[in-house]
Amino acid sequence: MYFVSFDLATGYWQILAAKATQHKLAFYSPEGLYTFKRMPMGALNAGPVFVSASNTMKLEWNQDAGKNGLTVDKVGAKVIVDDILAYGTTVLSLLAYLRCVLRTLQHYSTTVKLKKCKWFHSRLCFVGVDVCGAGNLPTKDKHAAFRAIKPPHTFADLRMLIGMFGFYSRWLPNYEIRIEHWRAILKNQPNPGSATPAEEREIIAELWEPPDLLLLEQLKEEVIDGIVLARPDYSRRFYLKTDWSKHGMAAVLCQADPNCPESVAAEQSEAAGGPCLLDKSKTGPRLVPILFLARLPLIQGRGRHWTMGNPQVPQVFILEGVYLDLRLQWPAPVL
């Protein structure tokens, strides 16, 4: 698989402000009153408007790609605000898809930053994630920053920690359950202006306990040593592994490890009517994780497994009255 990434230049300024609304974007300067002719950052709903525009362009270039015979199992794109990642199974298919993307950007007079473009890489960093054909994992470029993270001194520091680790929560099993005490600490934040910075630091120091420090170190190591979430192969069998705790059910969507001959052989044997690969995955055949589905409602039963064939056919798993609709997961996202 090959990837191309680029960043739209000048951000929100890509969008013209209608003349009828420019007076709402007025501001004073030492030289007098001015109004923005393009959408500035900070304007109400500027973010949603820009994201909507990006998604509209993505829809149009995908429609153009479809007319040219390019299908979603060969090419695709991920758009995060002004960052675009295009991918394809081959260089030629990606090049054809890239033509559709650039035609759409040109139609809307959208510009990109050439110095930030990355062309036809088999592995690259995109918005904090190392993306490659085998799967995704937290970018190694951030390892030094994660190792340097210190315990929070203010409520703003704690909120930053929760948000930063939350971005990588797909690599952190039971993340929300594990940080429940951190969220409980946030509920003790004084009303704005009612406490000095020194008083706020004292409150955090009193509420921050040794288990919180241990959890912080564990989360740092789990991000740094994060497992690769594998890229799904839609032509092969999928497996859903589950486990239980007092909080509820956790599930992992997996496939047999293609690099393990025993796993591949067991999968082929199962397809021919042999025993399920999951029945002996603890002793021999390996499964690679693709997607974590965590903290589902608590229901009776433990250690139950489900297996499915072609995921292009919509599947609904009924777990003793609780529906887990895997149609929502297809096709599995690149990020």
Side-chain angles (χ1 to χ4, degrees):
M1 185 172 284
Y2 297 90
F3 303 92
V4 170
S5 69
F6 38 90
D7 190 359
L8 299 182
T10 65
Y12 291 5
W13 291 357
Q14 298 268 6
I15 298 179
L16 288 169
K19 290 185 178 181
T21 62
Q22 288 181 5
H23 68 280
K24 298 179 181 179
L25 303 175
F27 63 95
Y28 279 103
S29 76
E31 288 75 28
L33 179 67
Y34 291 86
T35 60
F36 279 99
K37 294 184 178 180
R38 293 179 175 270
M39 185 175 69
M41 293 186 66
L44 183 64
N45 290 332
V49 168
F50 189 85
V51 170
S52 177
S54 299
N55 290 335
T56 298
M57 289 191 294
K58 177 184 175 181
L59 177 63
E60 292 191 11
W61 74 55
N62 280 338
Q63 291 174 341
D64 187 14
K67 293 177 182 178
N68 287 275
L70 299 172
T71 56
V72 294
D73 61 328
K74 301 294 184 182
V75 294
K78 180 72 175 181
V79 179
I80 299 181
V81 191
D82 60 346
D83 294 300
I84 301 174
L85 175 72
Y87 54 92
T89 54
T90 65
V91 171
L92 291 179
S93 62
L94 179 55
L95 185 60
Y97 185 70
L98 195 57
R99 290 194 183 99
C100 300
V101 175
L102 295 178
R103 272 198 298 265
T104 303
L105 295 179
Q106 186 179 36
H107 173 75
Y108 287 101
S109 300
T110 306
T111 56
V112 301
K113 299 177 183 176
L114 285 178
K115 65 179 181 180
K116 288 192 174 182
C117 293
K118 299 176 182 178
W119 305 98
F120 301 100
H121 288 250
S122 59
R123 184 189 190 110
L124 56 77
C125 175
F126 181 72
V127 292
V129 177
D130 279 344
V131 183
C132 64
N136 304 336
L137 71 162
T139 178
K140 295 180 180 179
D141 296 343
K142 304 294 184 182
H143 286 186
F146 272 101
R147 290 193 176 95
I149 293 176
K150 302 296 183 183
H153 297 291
T154 65
F155 287 97
D157 291 344
L158 179 57
R159 201 172 291 108
M160 182 269 298
L161 272 184
I162 293 175
M164 182 171 58
F165 284 115
F167 180 80
Y168 294 101
S169 61
R170 74 192 71 178
W171 289 276
L172 304 172
N174 300 320
Y175 173 68
E176 282 297 331
I177 296 175
R178 297 163 70 186
I179 65 165
E180 283 181 345
H181 186 245
W182 291 8
R183 293 201 181 277
I185 293 176
L186 285 180
K187 294 180 180 179
N188 293 275
Q189 182 174 6
N191 292 326
S194 63
T196 64
E199 291 172 338
E200 186 174 315
R201 286 193 290 270
E202 290 179 2
I203 295 173
I204 287 288
E206 182 179 347
L207 297 175
W208 187 261
E209 301 175 353
D212 296 312
L213 181 59
L214 177 61
L215 175 60
L216 175 60
E217 295 301 320
Q218 289 174 346
L219 293 176
K220 288 162 59 174
E221 291 303 317
E222 288 177 23
V223 170
I224 293 172
D225 300 328
I227 62 173
V228 176
L229 291 182
R231 192 86 58 223
D233 182 348
Y234 296 103
S235 65
R236 296 173 52 232
R237 185 174 294 272
F238 284 74
Y239 301 88
L240 185 68
K241 294 200 67 174
T242 66
D243 203 353
W244 302 82
S245 72
K246 64 180 180 180
H247 301 286
M249 185 188 81
V252 183
L253 190 66
C254 308
Q255 284 188 310
D257 187 350
N259 298 316
C260 176
E262 187 177 5
S263 296
V264 175
E267 181 183 27
Q268 294 171 348
S269 173
E270 178 186 347
C276 178
L277 184 151
L278 287 170
D279 294 337
K280 50 182 180 178
S281 61
K282 293 183 179 180
T283 58
R286 294 197 302 265
L287 296 173
V288 291
I290 294 172
L291 184 70
F292 290 108
L293 305 166
R295 204 173 188 182
L296 300 175
L298 179 62
I299 56 179
Q300 294 181 351
R302 289 181 178 274
R304 296 186 58 180
H305 302 139
W306 291 264
T307 178
M308 64 185 293
N310 184 358
Q312 301 294 353
V313 179
Q315 303 278 340
V316 178
F317 292 89
I318 304 176
L319 311 183
E320 298 184 13
V322 177
Y323 287 83
L324 173 59
D325 191 345
L326 290 186
R327 287 177 295 183
L328 301 179
Q329 309 297 343
W330 312 127
V334 160
L335 289 179

